[in-house]
Amino acid sequence: MTADQVLLLADGAGLADAVAARLQALGCTVTTVLCGDGFQALSAARYTVAPDSSDDFVALFQALQAAGRMPQRIFHTWTVQGTAAPMSLAEIERRGLFSLMAMAQALGSEDLTSPISLTVLTQGAQRVADEALTQPGAAMLNGATRVIGQELPQVHPQTIDVQWPVAGQRQQRALIHALLQ
């Protein structure tokens, strides 16, 4: 991975922290965005937005553009819960579906000249073997992610369902490495 500007919509379960640490070790500039009540610049590298507010995302992208921090990569981890209780469907919609829609609307209003890679991370939305689906409602993010790629051709999206946390440092490093490919 080359040194990029990366926007990380950070979960509270530690996945975003692990991704940020690896990205920074690779020389990337990471800007973190937390779910909040509205747009607020906490520092040059840390913001809050209301997840379902396209106006907040417009303000965020304007601030990033002005600071020379417009991202080439975006990681969306707002529906990753770790070991916490699964989110309600309403919260998955707000932090997942509606935030993706708001972000896409804001990106659509930008004059994007470079491609942006969008990785949407979910947890418990897809079955690999016979494990239980802990957040099947998060599967709706797959459709939203596909639509973003069709509506905004300069945005290259993917959705990845992860198990977090993973047991052991070796497995964690392998997961983070795979996510950054």
Side-chain angles (χ1 to χ4, degrees):
M1 172 180 212
T2 61
D4 287 335
Q5 295 288 336
V6 179
L7 183 64
L8 186 56
L9 283 67
D11 61 275
L15 176 58
D17 294 337
V19 170
R22 182 66 185 136
L23 287 166
Q24 289 167 337
L26 292 170
C28 296
T29 301
V30 178
T31 302
T32 303
V33 181
L34 306 171
C35 286
D37 295 327
F39 174 76
Q40 185 177 3
L42 304 174
S43 72
R46 198 165 180 87
Y47 296 83
T48 65
V49 298
D52 50 0
S53 171
S54 59
D55 289 341
D56 283 5
F57 278 99
V58 166
L60 172 67
F61 289 126
Q62 288 174 346
L64 294 177
Q65 191 77 278
R69 294 177 77 109
M70 196 64 182
Q72 287 92 37
R73 293 191 76 172
I74 300 173
F75 289 90
H76 183 291
T77 68
W78 280 350
T79 62
V80 174
Q81 285 297 100
T83 58
M87 289 182 188
S88 68
L89 184 57
E91 193 63 11
I92 291 170
E93 287 176 333
R94 182 171 178 268
R95 293 173 63 111
L97 179 65
F98 299 154
S99 71
L100 286 172
M101 290 172 34
M103 182 174 57
Q105 289 170 345
L107 284 171
S109 71
E110 290 290 317
D111 183 24
L112 299 178
T113 57
S114 300
I116 296 175
S117 170
L118 170 62
T119 302
V120 178
L121 299 169
T122 60
Q123 179 181 349
Q126 298 181 30
R127 183 172 285 137
V128 175
D130 62 351
E131 72 277 4
L133 295 177
T134 56
Q135 290 194 142
M140 74 176 90
L141 303 185
N142 291 329
T145 302
R146 282 190 216 122
V147 169
I148 289 170
Q150 292 170 352
E151 295 292 323
L152 300 171
Q154 62 277 44
V155 177
H156 305 283
Q158 64 178 335
T159 305
I160 302 173
D161 196 65
V162 298
Q163 177 183 345
W164 188 262
V166 294
Q169 290 295 324
R170 185 173 170 187
Q171 290 88 345
Q172 180 176 323
R173 281 192 306 274
L175 173 62
I176 300 303
H177 178 76
L179 292 175
L180 299 182
Q181 295 304 306

